Structure formats: structure tokens, C-alpha cells
Amino acid sequence: MEHEVFVPVPAERLREVLDDPARVARAVPGLQQDAGAEPVAGRLKIRVGSHSVTYRGAVRVCRRDGAAYAVEGEAEESRGSGSVKLSLRIALREAEDGCTVVYDGTASADGRIKDLPADAVESAVIRLLDRFAEHLAAAATGADDEAPASPPPAPSGQGTGAEAEEKAPADPGLTEEPPAPERPSAFGADVPPSSLGPADLGPADEEDEEDIAEAAHARRTMIGRSAEEVDHAPPRGRYAPVPAPQTVTPSGPLRWAAPAAALALASAVVAVRALRRRR
């Protein structure tokens, strides 16, 4: 892996930052340091495309050959069995109006990051190196002293796993923007009283006031009803249910009146015919 980044800061100023492990730790983007551990040790969340992997480990930076720096690091996944090893060489090359940070090294990893696309992993590593060089330049110019202080690191042994990852400080540029605050609703606002007195109101205004009072009373009554009553209240109007037709069952005496009348009529007809035949 080879990569170069130009920063508008002299090389001598960057060497002062790289010689201080505490300032190097503050320059690593998204690093949450562990209390009581090495200066460059803690948790680091890396976003690769739409995925994110959190590692826990340590990095050692030492000066070699007077001008270059050797970086050795090891880390393990906080939610898995994967690990990564890094061997990097950082050199500072003088340039006009600044210097060029030259990265040269190798890295080996297994676990979740091995299953991700290679181009996405390469883009994430390049973005991390670019931000690291920018933070080094900011630390060399004193811009990090003017920035607000970061929250204190979590004590070792606490906040591990998923809880620690949720409490980790967000890395600017790698997370989404916070949701906008909700606007207050206008339905709960109080209506200001009218500036007109009783003498200034006419008959029409008095009728309007009575209608408003009735509507307010109805609204208070509806609001005061329980949720169970409102849920079980039958609908009205065009959506009201149609009642089922009711069948009328006649009483006992009326039930036998019709057959008895028919029998009496038939008997009378038979008797009349019999009398006519005799004559």
C-alpha cells in the first residue's frame, strides 16, 4: 500500500506531533481511548461502504532513520473473531508551502472485513489516512487546542461490547446528521380572549358567541369521553349500520282463528248444497 497526502504545514512541525504519542492519538479519526492503557490504544470504528466494523487494539509509533516513522499495530473485532495487523512507514517530504506525507506499508486482516469488496476497503483506508494527515496538520498548527475538548475516555473494563460502541463518539463525516427538532404544534395553543366588551356586541355577535360556547361544550364533552366509549360508539349518518329485519310472530289465539274461519265457511257451503239437493 502506497499513498501520499499534501499538507500546508512544514515537515518539522509535523515531526513534533509524531514524536508525541498523546497528540498522535488525538489525530487518529474516531479513536476512543481507553483509560490506563497506552496512548494510542482503544476502539476505532471504520465504515466500509454501507457496513461498519469496530476494532479494539493498540498502535505504536517510533522514529526511525531520523526522518521516517515506523507504525506497528494490532487489533481485534469487538463483535467477532476477526483481527488485523498493520505495518506502516510514514515519511515526510519537503514541498513548496508545506510537505507531503508518504505512507508505505502492508496490512493483513481476516473476519468481516475480508468479505467486503476490495475497492470499498481501499477507499475506506485511503479516507482514514487522508483524515489522519489533516488532523496531524491541525495539531501542528494548534487548531486542535482551539477545538472543544473531547469527552474523557471510558474506564477500562466498562462499556465493552455493543454498549461501548453505542457510546463511542461519532466521527464527523462518517455518520448521518442528527434529526431536526420537532416543531411545536399549534393545536395546543390557547386562544386569546376578545378585546370587545359585552356592550360592543350586537345580536348577531351574541348568537355567534352562543354557538361557539355550544361547540366548545360539545368538544369538551367529546374529549372527556373515555377511549373505550369512543372506540365502541356506533357510526352515524351514511355509515350507520342497517338494522336487521324483525320477524313478527302472531299470538296463540290469532294463530288458530284463520283455520277455524276457513273450516266454518267450508261447512256452511257444504250444508247449503245439501239443502238444495233435498229440495
Side-chain angles (χ1 to χ4, degrees):
M1 178 182 59
E2 296 180 359
H3 186 59
E4 296 183 0
V5 183
F6 172 79
V7 292
V9 177
E12 191 63 30
R13 301 286 297 276
L14 287 183
R15 292 190 182 96
E16 296 177 359
V17 178
L18 291 173
D19 290 336
D20 187 357
R23 300 175 73 181
V24 173
R26 291 196 298 267
V28 178
L31 175 66
Q32 183 184 11
Q33 303 179 46
D34 292 336
E38 301 179 16
V40 193
R43 291 184 300 272
L44 178 63
K45 185 176 183 179
I46 301 178
R47 184 175 296 276
V48 182
S50 59
H51 304 271
S52 60
V53 185
T54 303
Y55 289 97
R56 175 187 290 273
V59 175
R60 295 170 295 278
V61 182
C62 57
R63 193 166 184 173
R64 299 283 179 83
D65 303 333
Y69 292 84
V71 180
E72 301 288 340
E74 297 180 359
E76 297 180 354
E77 293 182 4
S78 60
R79 291 185 177 181
S81 58
S83 61
V84 60
K85 293 183 179 181
L86 174 68
S87 177
L88 192 64
R89 179 178 179 271
I90 302 178
L92 304 179
R93 188 174 59 205
E94 295 287 350
E96 186 178 358
D97 298 333
C99 70
T100 302
V101 182
V102 181
Y103 300 101
D104 182 11
T106 58
S108 60
D110 56 4
R112 292 178 54 194
I113 200 169
K114 193 175 181 180
D115 301 332
L116 301 177
D119 53 348
V121 175
E122 183 179 0
S123 301
V125 173
I126 292 176
R127 182 171 63 250
L128 182 64
L129 295 178
D130 290 344
R131 292 177 61 92
F132 177 64
E134 294 174 0
H135 290 185
L136 287 177
T141 56
D144 58 341
D145 298 336
E146 300 176 1
S150 58
S156 58
Q158 298 182 2
T160 59
E163 182 180 357
E165 184 176 349
E166 295 295 335
K167 296 182 179 180
D171 185 13
L174 300 182
T175 57
E176 294 80 5
E177 296 182 357
E182 298 182 358
R183 298 182 177 179
S185 176
F187 293 100
D190 298 334
V191 180
S194 175
S195 59
L196 299 177
D200 300 331
L201 300 177
D205 295 336
E206 293 179 358
E207 294 179 0
D208 294 342
E209 279 198 350
E210 293 178 359
D211 296 340
I212 293 174
E214 292 179 0
H217 176 70
R219 190 170 70 90
R220 287 194 300 269
T221 305
M222 181 175 292
I223 293 175
R225 297 170 64 186
S226 63
E228 184 178 358
E229 293 178 354
V230 174
D231 292 341
H232 295 283
R236 298 179 180 179
R238 58 183 298 185
Y239 299 104
V242 179
Q246 299 180 358
T247 57
V248 180
T249 304
S251 59
L254 295 179
R255 183 184 306 174
W256 298 102
L263 180 60
L265 181 60
S267 301
V269 171
V270 172
V272 170
R273 288 181 180 180
L275 292 176
R276 287 182 180 178
R277 287 178 184 177
R278 290 180 179 180
R279 290 178 184 179

